[in-house]
Amino acid sequence: MRNVLKAATLESKFPLMRVENGYILSKDADLTVAYRVELPELFTVSPAEYEAIHSAWAKAVKVLPDYSIVHRQDWFIEENYMPNMGKEDMSFLSRSFERHFNERPFLNHFSYLFLTKTTKERARQQSSFNALTRGFIVPKEMQDRETAVKFMEAVEQFERIMNDSGQIKLVRLTDHEITGTDREAGIVEKYFSLSQNDTACLQDMCLMPGEMKIGDSYLCLHTLSDPDDLPSKVATDSRYEKLSTDKSDCRLSFAAPIGVLLSCNHIVNQYLFIDDSGENLKRFEKQARNMHSLSRYSRQNQINKIWIEEYLNEAHSLGLTSIRAHVNVMAFADSPEKLKQAKNDVGSQLALMECKPRHNTVDVPALFWAGIPGGEGDFPSEESFYTFIENALCFFIGETNYKSSPSPFGIKMADRISGRPLHVDISDLPMKKGIITNRNKFVLGPSGSGKSFFTNHLVRQYYEQGTHVLIVDTGNSYQGLCDLIRSKTGGEDGIYFTYREEDPIAFNPFYTEDGVFDIEKKESIKTLIMTLWKRDDEAPTRAEEVALSNAVNLYLEKLKTNRRIKPSFNSFYDFVRVDYQLILEQKKTREKDFDVYNFLNVLEPYYMGGEYDYLLNSNKQLDLLSKRFIVFELDNIKDNRVLFPIVTIILMETFINKMRRLKGVRKMILLEEAWKALSKEGMSEYLRYLFKTVRKFFGEAVVVTQEVDDIISSPVVKESIINNSDCKILLDQRKYMNKFDSIQAMLGLTGKERSQILSINQSNDPARLYKEVWIGLGGVQSAVYATEVSAEEYYTYTTEETEKLELFRLAEKLDGNLELAIKQLAESKRTNK
């Protein structure tokens, strides 16, 4: 049977003639430049920054010559996360993480900008003379050279203004990115296939007023082309209620509802038509006079006259430029049912912007054709409305979805909206860019906020990337992870120390493998002895400090000359009791300057036969230099006023030893509540030294706390920790809502950062199990991420006592195979779900 349907080839209707030197030349002699637009991330822009972005767009648009077209085209494409399972050295937990997110759907955003120079005649062209309605297109001659040169200069100024704004980046597209190559599709080919894949291919198109199809995709179009459809007022940004509170505002751009927040395949086209503003205003003056003369016959004419006069008054009094604008949202789906849902979604999102959703079924082909990169001159003028530049720019989408860091080092987090995994670098790249000056981190979160869960996730990924990790804990939060690492490395790593009465931790602070005592080692010993000698509220005199320093130095000199002396606290005590006491008598040191008998009496419990004689006289030297994951669990002695500070400071000295000796190796020390012992008088200098020095040795110190009062009341926290921690990490602060003003002042948080923090966990997806965390870098860069992990990682990190007992009992039944126990529990959890 003969085919009676009218069909045409794309070549016969194709509006473009050639692409050369980054410029697109249409067959109607329109000249177009194409850019890729890089936008700030969602929920990371403050109202002032939205104003700055809007102002930059306005300044840039004003440099363009008359009869130019500004076309923003934002693509939002549904994609599925493809896990990266190709790494040979990928750990069991990393593979579990990737499998957990396999095929996770998310909305990918691609933003383009097209600047077109057309003519006055083309700017007034209606849909009846569109390229689709003509039998063939006769290529016209290019406009005069001077016009083209002026447009090129204006385009360069436009690009410079936007890139200098610091918020938006325009990247000029090359010829190959526009037209494509043999291997990769260009933006024109991608547009005709409704895809952003490099392998996009052309498909059949059915252009009908009532229905338009491209391949298997059905299209529906909503337009904002009539003043009656527009909201009563527009703004650069608006309040996002879901993540706002009574004490904070979460802000998004005015057009955000039709951007990332619209969860279906769609394209948003925003057009600005730069006509001759003076000519436009003259036309409105004439219309106003006509309306006035006809006002007696119709009240509508009188009202229109008032509206036109208000428009003219605005233009003349504020010096505004009259332009035409148009916005459309083109949604597409692979079935009529999905298209119906997408149509409803678009309509509801437009309604959120207080716009009147107008489903356009007539002009879909014409508007689709005008959206071709370089084909903007074919836009039907009757679909545009008159406005001003500043008002029209409010419909520009101002943010994009979260982006992964290009850095090879980092941690895996998740997008708080879609749940897509993200690679986030909070150490190296920010240092390289100058955003932060140190890698130290301060973590604050109340009990139950997911603080230990996040830090488990953090240190595990740092360890897997070659970091030496030393953790001082007081709550058994890292036992599961440490045991798993020990089982996987055969005991080489995953060293877990805990204090028990039958097997107490013992150290020898006077021992070094090479017998070298540098300045840091000497200071560490002095600080330790001073801690043993003086109470927290008892400050040593200058004479006592000098006497103690001399005692330590003379003892260390004696060790060098007499190798038979075994370095230990016992031999140091003997040295002070005999040799140093004689020296003091010879120097006639007064008792009030240094009471050696008091000194020996106070330190006697740590000497041979004393209550704590085991603590500083270990016969077995702990060689922890090469161990990459060490946990010191001090929960059993956290309330012991004698043991806790001593053990903690010795552990800190262990890290200092790593810091000094491991050249070019990343080091991390994580202090949970143990930092409190170090903040007391006599040991605070040690803490200050650590936080100020660790960055010089490719290291980072992490402090984790849950008590707000500890921050507010401790000057050491402010001076030593907060001021030297450029990376601040906060979890759910709703428990501290009434105290948050003081937290904000203490941490030096901006208004934008406050809004981000108070939005944590305000609107979590109930279908996903996760908790959110705020990460701020140097007061410059900040965002809220989701800590979402696989079931295997959950059972490794969990701090719930019942779940931990269940895991370790199952591991015992499996001959100590902790990994297998984790797998079985995770599979059981997924099955029950």
Side-chain angles (χ1 to χ4, degrees), residues 475-520:
N476 290 295
S477 300
Y478 305 90
Q479 186 177 2
L481 177 59
C482 190
D483 287 356
L484 180 62
I485 291 174
R486 183 169 64 253
S487 65
K488 296 295 289 184
T489 60
E492 288 298 317
D493 271 329
I495 311 301
Y496 196 84
F497 293 101
T498 186
Y499 187 92
R500 295 188 298 272
E501 290 292 338
E502 65 275 12
D503 185 22
I505 300 175
F507 304 94
N508 187 348
F510 297 90
Y511 172 81
T512 59
E513 290 184 0
D514 53 9
V516 176
F517 294 89
D518 53 21
I519 295 176
E520 287 89 354

Side-chain angles (χ1 to χ4, degrees), residues 776-792:
L777 298 171
V780 176
Q781 184 177 309
S782 60
V784 176
Y785 301 96
T787 306
E788 182 177 354
V789 298
S790 63
E792 287 84 354

